Coordinates of all heavy atoms in Angstrom, one line a residue:
M998 N -15.9 -3.5 32.7 CA -17.2 -3.5 32.0 C -16.9 -3.6 30.5 O -16.0 -2.9 30.0 CB -17.9 -2.2 32.4 CG -19.2 -2.0 31.6 SD -20.0 -0.5 32.2 CE -21.6 -0.8 31.6
T999 N -17.7 -4.4 29.8 CA -17.5 -4.5 28.4 C -18.8 -4.0 27.7 O -19.9 -4.3 28.2 CB -17.3 -6.0 28.0 OG1 -16.2 -6.5 28.7 CG2 -17.1 -6.2 26.5
T1000 N -18.6 -3.3 26.7 CA -19.8 -2.8 25.9 C -19.7 -3.4 24.5 O -18.6 -3.6 24.0 CB -19.8 -1.3 25.8 OG1 -18.7 -0.8 25.2 CG2 -20.0 -0.7 27.2
I1001 N -20.8 -3.6 23.9 CA -20.9 -4.1 22.5 C -21.6 -3.1 21.7 O -22.7 -2.7 22.0 CB -21.6 -5.5 22.5 CG1 -20.9 -6.5 23.3 CG2 -21.7 -5.9 21.0 CD1 -21.6 -7.8 23.5
S1002 N -20.9 -2.6 20.7 CA -21.6 -1.7 19.8 C -22.6 -2.3 18.9 O -22.3 -3.4 18.3 CB -20.5 -1.0 18.9 OG -21.1 -0.1 18.0
T1003 N -23.7 -1.7 18.8 CA -24.8 -2.2 17.9 C -24.7 -1.6 16.5 O -25.5 -1.9 15.7 CB -26.1 -2.0 18.5 OG1 -26.3 -0.7 18.8 CG2 -26.3 -2.8 19.8
E1004 N -23.8 -0.6 16.3 CA -23.7 0.1 15.0 C -23.1 -0.9 14.0 O -22.2 -1.6 14.4 CB -22.9 1.3 15.1 CG -23.5 2.4 16.0 CD -22.5 3.6 16.1 OE1 -21.3 3.4 15.9 OE2 -23.0 4.7 16.3
T1005 N -23.6 -0.9 12.8 CA -23.1 -1.7 11.8 C -22.8 -0.9 10.6 O -23.5 0.1 10.3 CB -24.0 -2.9 11.4 OG1 -25.2 -2.3 11.0 CG2 -24.3 -3.8 12.5
T1006 N -21.8 -1.2 9.8 CA -21.5 -0.5 8.6 C -22.3 -1.2 7.5 O -22.2 -2.4 7.3 CB -20.0 -0.6 8.3 OG1 -19.3 -0.1 9.4 CG2 -19.6 0.1 7.0
P1007 N -23.1 -0.4 6.8 CA -23.9 -1.0 5.7 C -23.0 -1.6 4.6 O -21.9 -1.1 4.3 CB -24.7 0.1 5.1 CG -24.1 1.4 5.6 CD -23.3 1.0 6.8
A1008 N -23.4 -2.8 4.2 CA -22.6 -3.5 3.1 C -22.8 -2.7 1.8 O -23.8 -2.2 1.5 CB -23.1 -4.9 3.0
P1009 N -21.7 -2.6 1.0 CA -21.8 -1.9 -0.3 C -22.8 -2.7 -1.1 O -23.0 -3.9 -1.0 CB -20.4 -2.1 -0.9 CG -19.5 -2.3 0.3 CD -20.3 -3.0 1.3
D1010 N -23.5 -1.9 -1.9 CA -24.6 -2.5 -2.7 C -24.0 -3.3 -3.9 O -22.9 -3.1 -4.3 CB -25.6 -1.5 -3.2 CG -25.1 -0.5 -4.1 OD1 -24.2 -0.8 -4.9 OD2 -25.5 0.7 -4.0
E1011 N -24.8 -4.2 -4.4 CA -24.4 -5.1 -5.5 C -24.1 -4.3 -6.8 O -23.2 -4.7 -7.5 CB -25.5 -6.1 -5.8 CG -25.7 -7.1 -4.7 CD -24.5 -7.9 -4.3 OE1 -23.8 -8.4 -5.3 OE2 -24.2 -8.0 -3.1
R1012 N -24.7 -3.2 -7.0 CA -24.4 -2.3 -8.1 C -23.0 -1.9 -8.1 O -22.2 -1.9 -9.1 CB -25.4 -1.1 -8.2 CG -25.1 -0.2 -9.4 CD -25.8 1.1 -9.3 NE -25.4 1.9 -8.1 CZ -24.3 2.6 -8.0 NH1 -23.4 2.6 -9.0 NH2 -24.0 3.3 -6.9
L1013 N -22.5 -1.4 -6.9 CA -21.1 -1.0 -6.8 C -20.2 -2.1 -7.1 O -19.2 -1.9 -7.9 CB -20.9 -0.5 -5.3 CG -19.4 -0.2 -5.0 CD1 -18.9 1.0 -5.8 CD2 -19.3 0.1 -3.5
Y1014 N -20.4 -3.3 -6.6 CA -19.5 -4.5 -6.9 C -19.5 -4.8 -8.4 O -18.5 -5.0 -8.9 CB -20.0 -5.7 -6.1 CG -19.6 -5.7 -4.6 CD1 -20.5 -5.9 -3.7 CD2 -18.3 -5.5 -4.3 CE1 -20.2 -5.9 -2.3 CE2 -17.9 -5.5 -2.9 CZ -18.9 -5.7 -2.0 OH -18.5 -5.7 -0.6
A1015 N -20.7 -4.7 -9.0 CA -20.8 -5.1 -10.4 C -20.1 -4.0 -11.3 O -19.3 -4.4 -12.2 CB -22.2 -5.2 -10.8
E1016 N -20.3 -2.8 -11.0 CA -19.6 -1.7 -11.8 C -18.1 -1.7 -11.6 O -17.4 -1.5 -12.5 CB -20.2 -0.3 -11.4 CG -21.6 -0.1 -11.9 CD -22.2 1.3 -11.6 OE1 -21.4 2.2 -11.5 OE2 -23.4 1.4 -11.5
M1017 N -17.7 -1.9 -10.3 CA -16.3 -1.9 -10.1 C -15.6 -3.1 -10.7 O -14.5 -3.0 -11.3 CB -16.0 -1.8 -8.6 CG -14.6 -1.6 -8.3 SD -14.0 -0.1 -9.1 CE -13.6 0.9 -7.7
G1018 N -16.3 -4.2 -10.6 CA -15.8 -5.5 -11.3 C -15.6 -5.3 -12.8 O -14.6 -5.7 -13.3
A1019 N -16.6 -4.7 -13.4 CA -16.5 -4.4 -14.8 C -15.4 -3.5 -15.2 O -14.7 -3.6 -16.2 CB -17.9 -3.9 -15.4
F1020 N -15.2 -2.4 -14.4 CA -14.2 -1.4 -14.6 C -12.8 -2.1 -14.5 O -11.9 -1.9 -15.3 CB -14.3 -0.3 -13.6 CG -13.4 0.9 -13.7 CD1 -13.3 1.6 -14.9 CD2 -12.7 1.3 -12.7 CE1 -12.5 2.6 -15.1 CE2 -11.8 2.4 -12.8 CZ -11.7 3.1 -14.0
I1021 N -12.6 -2.9 -13.4 CA -11.3 -3.6 -13.2 C -11.1 -4.6 -14.4 O -9.9 -4.7 -14.9 CB -11.3 -4.2 -11.8 CG1 -11.2 -3.2 -10.8 CG2 -10.1 -5.2 -11.7 CD1 -11.4 -3.7 -9.4
E1022 N -12.1 -5.3 -14.8 CA -12.0 -6.2 -15.9 C -11.6 -5.5 -17.2 O -10.7 -6.0 -17.9 CB -13.3 -7.0 -16.0 CG -13.2 -8.3 -16.8 CD -14.5 -9.0 -16.8 OE1 -14.9 -9.5 -15.7 OE2 -15.2 -9.0 -17.9
E1023 N -12.2 -4.4 -17.4 CA -11.8 -3.6 -18.6 C -10.4 -3.2 -18.6 O -9.7 -3.3 -19.6 CB -12.8 -2.4 -18.7 CG -12.5 -1.5 -19.9 CD -13.3 -0.2 -19.9 OE1 -14.4 -0.2 -19.3 OE2 -12.8 0.8 -20.5
M1024 N -9.9 -2.6 -17.5 CA -8.5 -2.1 -17.4 C -7.6 -3.3 -17.5 O -6.5 -3.2 -18.1 CB -8.3 -1.3 -16.1 CG -9.0 0.0 -16.1 SD -8.5 1.1 -14.7 CE -8.9 0.1 -13.3
T1025 N -7.9 -4.4 -16.9 CA -7.1 -5.6 -17.0 C -7.0 -6.1 -18.5 O -5.9 -6.4 -19.0 CB -7.6 -6.7 -16.1 OG1 -7.6 -6.3 -14.8 CG2 -6.7 -8.0 -16.2
A1026 N -8.1 -6.2 -19.2 CA -8.1 -6.6 -20.6 C -7.3 -5.7 -21.5 O -6.7 -6.2 -22.4 CB -9.5 -6.7 -21.1
K1027 N -7.3 -4.4 -21.2 CA -6.5 -3.4 -21.9 C -5.0 -3.5 -21.6 O -4.2 -2.8 -22.2 CB -7.1 -2.0 -21.7 CG -8.4 -1.8 -22.4 CD -8.9 -0.4 -22.2 CE -10.2 -0.1 -22.9 NZ -10.7 1.3 -22.6
G1028 N -4.7 -4.2 -20.5 CA -3.3 -4.3 -20.1 C -2.8 -3.1 -19.3 O -1.6 -2.9 -19.2
I1029 N -3.7 -2.2 -18.9 CA -3.2 -1.0 -18.2 C -3.2 -1.1 -16.7 O -2.5 -0.4 -16.0 CB -4.0 0.3 -18.6 CG1 -5.5 0.1 -18.3 CG2 -3.8 0.6 -20.1 CD1 -6.3 1.4 -18.5
L1030 N -4.0 -2.1 -16.1 CA -4.0 -2.3 -14.7 C -2.9 -3.2 -14.3 O -2.8 -4.4 -14.6 CB -5.4 -2.9 -14.2 CG -5.5 -3.0 -12.7 CD1 -5.5 -1.7 -12.0 CD2 -6.9 -3.7 -12.5
L1031 N -1.9 -2.7 -13.5 CA -0.8 -3.5 -13.1 C -0.9 -4.1 -11.7 O -0.5 -5.2 -11.4 CB 0.5 -2.6 -13.1 CG 0.8 -1.9 -14.4 CD1 2.0 -1.0 -14.3 CD2 1.0 -2.9 -15.5
A1032 N -1.6 -3.4 -10.8 CA -1.8 -3.9 -9.4 C -2.8 -3.0 -8.7 O -3.0 -1.9 -9.0 CB -0.5 -3.8 -8.6
T1033 N -3.5 -3.7 -7.7 CA -4.4 -3.0 -6.8 C -4.2 -3.5 -5.4 O -3.7 -4.6 -5.3 CB -5.9 -3.1 -7.2 OG1 -6.3 -4.5 -7.1 CG2 -6.2 -2.6 -8.6
G1034 N -4.6 -2.8 -4.5 CA -4.5 -3.3 -3.1 C -5.1 -2.3 -2.1 O -5.3 -1.2 -2.4
G1035 N -5.4 -2.9 -0.9 CA -5.8 -2.0 0.2 C -4.6 -1.7 1.0 O -3.6 -2.3 1.0
L1036 N -4.8 -0.6 1.8 CA -3.7 -0.1 2.6 C -4.3 -0.1 4.1 O -5.4 0.4 4.3 CB -3.3 1.3 2.2 CG -2.8 1.4 0.8 CD1 -2.5 2.9 0.4 CD2 -1.5 0.6 0.7
E1037 N -3.5 -0.5 5.0 CA -3.9 -0.5 6.4 C -3.9 0.9 6.9 O -3.1 1.8 6.4 CB -3.0 -1.4 7.3 CG -1.5 -1.0 7.3 CD -1.1 -0.4 8.6 OE1 -1.9 -0.2 9.5 OE2 0.1 -0.1 8.7
P1038 N -4.9 1.3 7.7 CA -5.1 2.7 8.1 C -4.0 3.3 9.0 O -3.8 4.5 9.0 CB -6.4 2.7 8.8 CG -6.5 1.3 9.3 CD -5.8 0.4 8.4
G1039 N -3.2 2.5 9.7 CA -2.3 3.1 10.6 C -1.0 3.5 10.0 O -0.7 4.7 9.8
G1040 N -0.2 2.5 9.6 CA 1.1 2.8 9.0 C 2.2 3.2 10.0 O 1.9 3.3 11.2
V1041 N 3.3 3.5 9.5 CA 4.4 4.0 10.3 C 5.0 5.2 9.7 O 5.1 5.2 8.4 CB 5.5 2.9 10.4 CG1 6.8 3.4 11.2 CG2 5.0 1.6 11.1
R1042 N 5.3 6.2 10.4 CA 5.9 7.5 9.9 C 7.3 7.6 10.4 O 7.6 7.5 11.6 CB 5.1 8.7 10.4 CG 5.6 10.0 9.8 CD 4.8 11.1 10.3 NE 3.4 11.1 9.7 CZ 2.4 11.7 10.2 NH1 2.4 12.4 11.2 NH2 1.2 11.6 9.6
V1043 N 8.2 7.7 9.4 CA 9.6 7.9 9.8 C 10.0 9.3 9.3 O 9.9 9.7 8.1 CB 10.5 6.9 9.0 CG1 12.0 7.1 9.4 CG2 10.1 5.5 9.4
T1044 N 10.4 10.2 10.3 CA 10.8 11.6 10.0 C 12.2 11.8 10.4 O 12.7 11.1 11.3 CB 9.9 12.6 10.7 OG1 9.9 12.4 12.1 CG2 8.4 12.4 10.2
S1045 N 12.8 12.7 9.7 CA 14.2 13.1 10.1 C 14.3 14.6 10.2 O 13.7 15.3 9.4 CB 15.2 12.5 9.1 OG 15.0 13.1 7.8
Q1046 N 15.2 15.1 11.1 CA 15.5 16.5 11.2 C 16.9 16.5 11.8 O 17.2 16.1 12.9 CB 14.5 17.2 12.2 CG 14.8 18.7 12.2 CD 13.7 19.4 12.9 OE1 12.7 18.9 13.3 NE2 13.9 20.7 13.0
G1047 N 17.8 16.9 10.9 CA 19.2 16.9 11.3 C 19.7 15.4 11.5 O 19.4 14.6 10.7
D1048 N 20.3 15.2 12.6 CA 20.7 13.8 13.0 C 19.6 13.0 13.7 O 19.9 11.8 13.9 CB 22.0 13.9 13.8 CG 23.2 14.4 13.1 OD1 23.2 14.3 11.9 OD2 24.1 14.9 13.8
E1049 N 18.5 13.6 14.0 CA 17.5 12.9 14.7 C 16.5 12.2 13.8 O 15.9 12.8 12.8 CB 16.7 13.9 15.6 CG 15.7 13.2 16.5 CD 15.0 14.2 17.4 OE1 15.6 15.2 17.8 OE2 13.9 13.9 17.8
I1050 N 16.2 10.9 14.0 CA 15.3 10.2 13.2 C 14.2 9.7 14.2 O 14.5 9.1 15.2 CB 15.9 9.0 12.4 CG1 16.9 9.6 11.4 CG2 14.8 8.1 11.8 CD1 17.6 8.6 10.5
T1051 N 12.9 9.9 13.9 CA 11.8 9.5 14.7 C 11.0 8.6 14.0 O 10.6 8.8 12.8 CB 11.0 10.8 15.1 OG1 11.8 11.8 15.7 CG2 9.9 10.4 16.0
V1052 N 10.6 7.5 14.7 CA 9.7 6.5 14.1 C 8.4 6.5 15.0 O 8.4 6.4 16.2 CB 10.3 5.1 14.2 CG1 9.3 4.0 13.6 CG2 11.6 5.1 13.4
M1053 N 7.2 6.7 14.3 CA 6.0 6.8 15.0 C 5.0 5.8 14.4 O 4.8 5.9 13.2 CB 5.5 8.2 15.0 CG 4.2 8.4 15.8 SD 3.5 10.1 15.8 CE 4.8 11.1 15.2
D1054 N 4.3 5.0 15.2 CA 3.2 4.2 14.7 C 1.9 5.0 14.6 O 1.7 5.8 15.4 CB 3.0 3.0 15.7 CG 4.1 2.0 15.6 OD1 4.7 1.8 14.6 OD2 4.4 1.4 16.7
G1055 N 1.1 4.7 13.5 CA -0.1 5.3 13.3 C -1.2 4.6 14.0 O -0.9 3.6 14.7
P1056 N -2.5 4.9 14.0 CA -3.0 6.0 13.1 C -2.6 7.4 13.6 O -2.3 7.5 14.8 CB -4.5 5.8 13.1 CG -4.8 5.1 14.4 CD -3.5 4.3 14.7
F1057 N -2.6 8.4 12.8 CA -2.1 9.7 13.1 C -3.3 10.6 13.3 O -4.1 10.8 12.4 CB -1.2 10.2 12.0 CG -0.1 9.3 11.8 CD1 -0.1 8.5 10.6 CD2 1.0 9.1 12.7 CE1 1.0 7.6 10.4 CE2 2.0 8.2 12.5 CZ 2.0 7.4 11.3
T1058 N -3.4 11.2 14.5 CA -4.6 11.9 14.9 C -4.8 13.2 14.1 O -5.9 13.6 13.9 CB -4.5 12.4 16.4 OG1 -3.3 13.1 16.6 CG2 -4.6 11.2 17.3
E1059 N -3.7 13.7 13.5 CA -3.9 14.9 12.7 C -4.3 14.6 11.3 O -4.6 15.5 10.5 CB -2.6 15.8 12.7 CG -1.4 15.1 11.9 CD -0.6 14.1 12.6 OE1 -1.0 13.7 13.7 OE2 0.4 13.7 12.1
A1060 N -4.3 13.4 10.9 CA -4.7 13.0 9.5 C -6.2 13.3 9.4 O -7.0 12.8 10.2 CB -4.4 11.6 9.2
K1061 N -6.6 14.0 8.4 CA -8.0 14.3 8.2 C -8.6 13.3 7.1 O -9.8 13.2 7.0 CB -8.2 15.7 7.7 CG -7.9 16.7 8.7 CD -8.1 18.1 8.3 CE -7.7 19.1 9.4 NZ -7.6 20.4 8.9
E1062 N -7.7 12.6 6.4 CA -8.2 11.7 5.4 C -7.5 10.4 5.6 O -6.4 10.3 6.1 CB -7.9 12.3 4.0 CG -8.6 13.6 3.7 CD -7.7 14.6 3.0 OE1 -6.6 14.2 2.7 OE2 -8.2 15.7 2.8
A1063 N -8.1 9.3 5.1 CA -7.4 8.0 5.2 C -7.3 7.5 3.8 O -8.2 7.6 2.9 CB -8.3 7.1 6.0
V1064 N -6.2 6.9 3.4 CA -6.0 6.3 2.1 C -6.4 4.8 2.3 O -5.8 4.1 3.1 CB -4.5 6.4 1.7 CG1 -4.3 5.7 0.4 CG2 -4.1 7.8 1.6
A1065 N -7.4 4.4 1.6 CA -7.9 3.1 1.7 C -7.3 2.1 0.8 O -7.3 0.9 1.1 CB -9.4 3.1 1.6
G1066 N -6.9 2.5 -0.4 CA -6.3 1.6 -1.3 C -5.6 2.3 -2.5 O -5.5 3.5 -2.5
F1067 N -5.1 1.5 -3.4 CA -4.4 2.1 -4.5 C -4.7 1.2 -5.8 O -5.0 0.1 -5.7 CB -2.9 2.1 -4.3 CG -2.2 0.8 -4.3 CD1 -1.7 0.3 -5.4 CD2 -2.2 0.0 -3.1 CE1 -1.1 -1.0 -5.5 CE2 -1.6 -1.2 -3.1 CZ -1.0 -1.7 -4.3
A1068 N -4.4 1.8 -6.9 CA -4.4 1.1 -8.2 C -3.2 1.6 -9.0 O -3.0 2.8 -9.1 CB -5.7 1.4 -9.0
L1069 N -2.4 0.7 -9.4 CA -1.2 1.1 -10.2 C -1.5 0.8 -11.7 O -1.8 -0.4 -12.0 CB 0.0 0.2 -9.8 CG 1.4 0.5 -10.5 CD1 1.8 2.0 -10.3 CD2 2.4 -0.4 -9.9
V1070 N -1.5 1.8 -12.5 CA -1.9 1.7 -13.9 C -0.8 2.2 -14.8 O 0.0 3.1 -14.3 CB -3.2 2.4 -14.2 CG1 -4.4 1.7 -13.5 CG2 -3.2 3.8 -13.9
E1071 N -0.7 1.7 -16.0 CA 0.2 2.2 -16.9 C -0.5 2.8 -18.1 O -1.2 2.1 -18.8 CB 1.2 1.1 -17.4 CG 2.3 1.6 -18.3 CD 3.3 0.5 -18.6 OE1 3.0 -0.6 -18.5 OE2 4.4 0.9 -19.0
V1072 N -0.5 4.1 -18.2 CA -1.3 4.8 -19.3 C -0.3 5.7 -20.1 O 0.8 5.9 -19.7 CB -2.4 5.7 -18.7 CG1 -3.4 4.8 -18.0 CG2 -1.8 6.7 -17.7
R1073 N -0.8 6.2 -21.2 CA 0.0 6.9 -22.2 C 0.1 8.4 -21.8 O 1.0 9.1 -22.3 CB -0.5 6.7 -23.6 CG -0.3 5.3 -24.1 CD -0.8 5.1 -25.5 NE -2.3 5.3 -25.6 CZ -3.2 4.4 -25.3 NH1 -2.8 3.2 -24.9 NH2 -4.4 4.6 -25.4
S1074 N -0.9 8.9 -21.1 CA -0.9 10.3 -20.8 C -1.6 10.7 -19.5 O -2.4 9.9 -19.0 CB -1.7 11.0 -22.0 OG -3.0 10.7 -21.9
K1075 N -1.3 11.9 -19.1 CA -2.0 12.4 -17.9 C -3.5 12.5 -18.1 O -4.3 12.1 -17.2 CB -1.5 13.8 -17.5 CG -2.0 14.4 -16.3 CD -1.4 15.8 -16.1 CE -2.0 16.6 -15.0 NZ -1.4 17.9 -14.8
E1076 N -3.9 12.9 -19.3 CA -5.3 13.0 -19.6 C -6.0 11.6 -19.5 O -7.2 11.5 -19.0 CB -5.5 13.6 -21.0 CG -5.1 15.0 -21.1 CD -3.6 15.2 -21.1 OE1 -2.8 14.3 -21.5 OE2 -3.2 16.3 -20.7
E1077 N -5.4 10.5 -20.0 CA -5.9 9.2 -19.9 C -6.1 8.8 -18.4 O -7.1 8.2 -18.0 CB -5.1 8.2 -20.6 CG -5.6 6.8 -20.7 CD -4.8 5.8 -21.4 OE1 -3.7 6.2 -22.0 OE2 -5.2 4.6 -21.5
M1078 N -5.1 9.1 -17.6 CA -5.2 8.8 -16.2 C -6.4 9.6 -15.5 O -7.1 9.0 -14.7 CB -3.9 9.1 -15.5 CG -3.8 8.7 -14.0 SD -4.1 7.0 -13.7 CE -5.7 7.0 -12.9
I1079 N -6.5 10.9 -15.8 CA -7.6 11.7 -15.3 C -9.0 11.1 -15.7 O -9.9 11.0 -14.8 CB -7.5 13.1 -15.7 CG1 -6.2 13.8 -15.0 CG2 -8.7 13.9 -15.4 CD1 -5.9 15.1 -15.5
E1080 N -9.1 10.6 -16.9 CA -10.3 10.0 -17.3 C -10.6 8.8 -16.5 O -11.8 8.5 -16.1 CB -10.3 9.7 -18.8 CG -11.6 9.1 -19.4 CD -12.9 10.0 -19.1 OE1 -12.8 11.2 -19.0 OE2 -13.9 9.3 -18.9
L1081 N -9.6 7.9 -16.3 CA -9.8 6.7 -15.5 C -10.3 7.1 -14.0 O -11.2 6.5 -13.5 CB -8.6 5.9 -15.4 CG -8.2 5.1 -16.7 CD1 -6.8 4.5 -16.5 CD2 -9.3 4.1 -17.0
A1082 N -9.6 8.2 -13.5 CA -10.0 8.6 -12.1 C -11.4 9.1 -12.1 O -12.2 8.9 -11.2 CB -9.0 9.7 -11.7
R1083 N -11.8 9.8 -13.2 CA -13.2 10.3 -13.2 C -14.2 9.2 -13.2 O -15.2 9.2 -12.5 CB -13.4 11.2 -14.5 CG -12.8 12.5 -14.5 CD -13.1 13.2 -15.8 NE -12.3 14.5 -15.9 CZ -12.8 15.7 -15.6 NH1 -14.0 15.8 -15.0 NH2 -12.0 16.7 -15.7
R1084 N -13.9 8.2 -14.0 CA -14.8 7.0 -14.1 C -14.8 6.3 -12.8 O -15.9 5.9 -12.3 CB -14.3 6.0 -15.2 CG -14.5 6.6 -16.6 CD -14.0 5.7 -17.7 NE -14.7 4.4 -17.6 CZ -14.3 3.3 -18.2 NH1 -13.2 3.3 -18.9 NH2 -15.0 2.1 -18.0
F1085 N -13.7 6.1 -12.1 CA -13.7 5.5 -10.8 C -14.5 6.3 -9.8 O -15.3 5.7 -9.0 CB -12.2 5.4 -10.3 CG -12.1 5.0 -8.9 CD1 -12.2 3.6 -8.5 CD2 -11.8 5.9 -7.8 CE1 -12.1 3.2 -7.2 CE2 -11.7 5.5 -6.5 CZ -11.9 4.1 -6.2
R1086 N -14.4 7.6 -9.7 CA -15.1 8.4 -8.8 C -16.6 8.3 -9.1 O -17.4 8.3 -8.1 CB -14.7 9.9 -8.8 CG -13.3 10.2 -8.4 CD -13.0 10.1 -6.9 NE -14.0 9.7 -6.0 CZ -13.7 9.0 -4.9 NH1 -12.5 8.5 -4.7 NH2 -14.7 8.8 -4.0
K1087 N -17.0 8.2 -10.3 CA -18.4 8.1 -10.7 C -19.0 6.8 -10.1 O -20.1 6.7 -9.7 CB -18.7 8.2 -12.2 CG -18.6 9.6 -12.7 CD -18.8 9.6 -14.2 CE -18.7 11.1 -14.7 NZ -18.9 11.1 -16.2
I1088 N -18.2 5.7 -10.1 CA -18.6 4.4 -9.6 C -18.7 4.4 -8.1 O -19.7 4.0 -7.5 CB -17.6 3.3 -10.1 CG1 -17.7 3.1 -11.6 CG2 -17.9 2.0 -9.3 CD1 -16.6 2.2 -12.1
V1089 N -17.7 4.9 -7.4 CA -17.6 4.8 -5.9 C -18.3 6.0 -5.2 O -18.6 5.8 -4.0 CB -16.2 4.6 -5.4 CG1 -15.6 3.3 -6.0 CG2 -15.3 5.8 -5.7
G1090 N -18.5 7.1 -5.9 CA -19.2 8.2 -5.2 C -18.3 9.2 -4.6 O -17.1 9.3 -5.0
D1091 N -18.8 9.9 -3.7 CA -18.1 11.1 -3.1 C -16.8 10.6 -2.5 O -16.7 9.6 -1.9 CB -18.9 11.8 -2.0 CG -20.2 12.4 -2.6 OD1 -20.2 12.6 -3.9 OD2 -21.1 12.7 -1.8
G1092 N -15.8 11.5 -2.6 CA -14.5 11.2 -2.0 C -13.4 11.9 -2.8 O -13.7 12.7 -3.7
V1093 N -12.2 11.5 -2.5 CA -11.0 12.1 -3.2 C -10.1 11.0 -3.7 O -9.9 10.0 -3.0 CB -10.2 13.0 -2.2 CG1 -8.9 13.5 -2.8 CG2 -11.0 14.1 -1.6
S1094 N -9.7 11.2 -4.9 CA -8.6 10.3 -5.5 C -7.4 11.2 -5.8 O -7.6 12.3 -6.4 CB -9.1 9.7 -6.8 OG -10.2 8.7 -6.5
E1095 N -6.3 10.7 -5.5 CA -5.0 11.4 -5.8 C -4.3 10.6 -6.9 O -4.1 9.4 -6.8 CB -4.2 11.5 -4.5 CG -3.1 12.4 -4.6 CD -2.5 12.7 -3.2 OE1 -3.2 13.1 -2.3 OE2 -1.3 12.4 -3.1
I1096 N -3.7 11.4 -7.8 CA -2.9 10.8 -8.9 C -1.5 11.1 -8.7 O -1.2 12.3 -8.5 CB -3.4 11.3 -10.3 CG1 -4.9 10.9 -10.5 CG2 -2.5 10.7 -11.4 CD1 -5.5 11.5 -11.7
R1097 N -0.6 10.1 -8.7 CA 0.8 10.4 -8.6 C 1.5 9.5 -9.7 O 1.2 8.4 -9.9 CB 1.3 9.9 -7.3 CG 0.6 10.6 -6.1 CD 1.6 11.3 -5.2 NE 0.9 12.0 -4.1 CZ 1.5 12.2 -3.0 NH1 2.7 11.8 -2.8 NH2 0.8 12.8 -2.1
Q1098 N 2.5 10.2 -10.3 CA 3.3 9.4 -11.3 C 4.4 8.6 -10.6 O 5.0 9.1 -9.6 CB 4.0 10.4 -12.3 CG 4.7 9.7 -13.4 CD 5.2 10.7 -14.5 OE1 4.8 11.8 -14.5 NE2 5.9 10.2 -15.4
V1099 N 4.6 7.4 -11.0 CA 5.7 6.6 -10.5 C 6.8 6.7 -11.5 O 6.7 6.5 -12.7 CB 5.2 5.1 -10.4 CG1 6.4 4.2 -10.0 CG2 4.0 5.0 -9.5
F1100 N 8.0 7.0 -11.0 CA 9.2 7.1 -11.8 C 10.0 5.8 -11.6 O 10.0 5.2 -10.6 CB 10.1 8.3 -11.4 CG 9.4 9.6 -11.6 CD1 8.9 10.3 -10.6 CD2 9.3 10.1 -12.9 CE1 8.3 11.6 -10.8 CE2 8.6 11.3 -13.1 CZ 8.2 12.0 -12.1
G1101 N 10.7 5.4 -12.7 CA 11.6 4.2 -12.6 C 11.6 3.5 -13.9 O 11.0 4.0 -14.9
P1102 N 12.3 2.4 -13.9 CA 12.4 1.7 -15.2 C 11.1 1.2 -15.7 O 10.1 1.0 -15.1 CB 13.3 0.5 -14.8 CG 13.4 0.4 -13.4 CD 12.9 1.7 -12.8

């Protein structure tokens, strides 16, 4: 037996697209936006304990949150990054954004 779901996800409104487009354009013009992208919800988890290495395909049932995407930015301070994250959250609405510093050259 095959069932067809009639539930649909509402399309994001045009205001969201316009505000996010302007925000991305501004960060690009300032030279601070290095990359953006979406992340697939499943992923692969590789864990180790002693000599045992386990590889598990997602999605992971214990995960309470899903990471949908990322933005890689180059800013001068933690405060500047927090301000960008505040602006982003005001545009997209309720949710959680996590800030992590990237180390390297």
Side-chain angles (χ1 to χ4, degrees):
M998 175 179 200
T999 303
T1000 59
I1001 299 172
S1002 174
T1003 57
E1004 295 179 335
T1005 58
T1006 303
D1010 64 38
E1011 293 302 315
R1012 180 193 60 78
L1013 173 65
Y1014 282 128
E1016 287 183 28
M1017 191 54 116
F1020 185 55
I1021 289 170
E1022 198 173 288
E1023 176 189 334
M1024 289 192 301
T1025 301
K1027 289 181 177 179
I1029 61 175
L1030 182 61
L1031 305 178
T1033 63
L1036 301 171
E1037 61 107 356
V1041 175
R1042 180 179 293 161
V1043 179
T1044 58
S1045 63
Q1046 185 169 358
D1048 291 336
E1049 186 177 331
I1050 297 183
T1051 304
V1052 178
M1053 185 183 339
D1054 290 327
F1057 306 104
T1058 57
E1059 71 276 9
K1061 294 180 181 168
E1062 298 138 3
V1064 177
F1067 71 93
L1069 182 60
V1070 297
E1071 186 171 21
V1072 294
R1073 293 178 296 277
S1074 67
K1075 180 180 175 181
E1076 293 73 26
E1077 186 178 358
M1078 185 60 246
I1079 291 171
E1080 181 55 31
L1081 288 174
R1083 286 178 190 270
R1084 290 180 59 199
F1085 173 77
R1086 295 289 357 145
K1087 285 181 181 179
I1088 293 169
V1089 299
D1091 295 344
V1093 175
S1094 292
E1095 191 170 303
I1096 299 170
R1097 303 235 179 156
Q1098 184 172 354
V1099 176
F1100 295 107

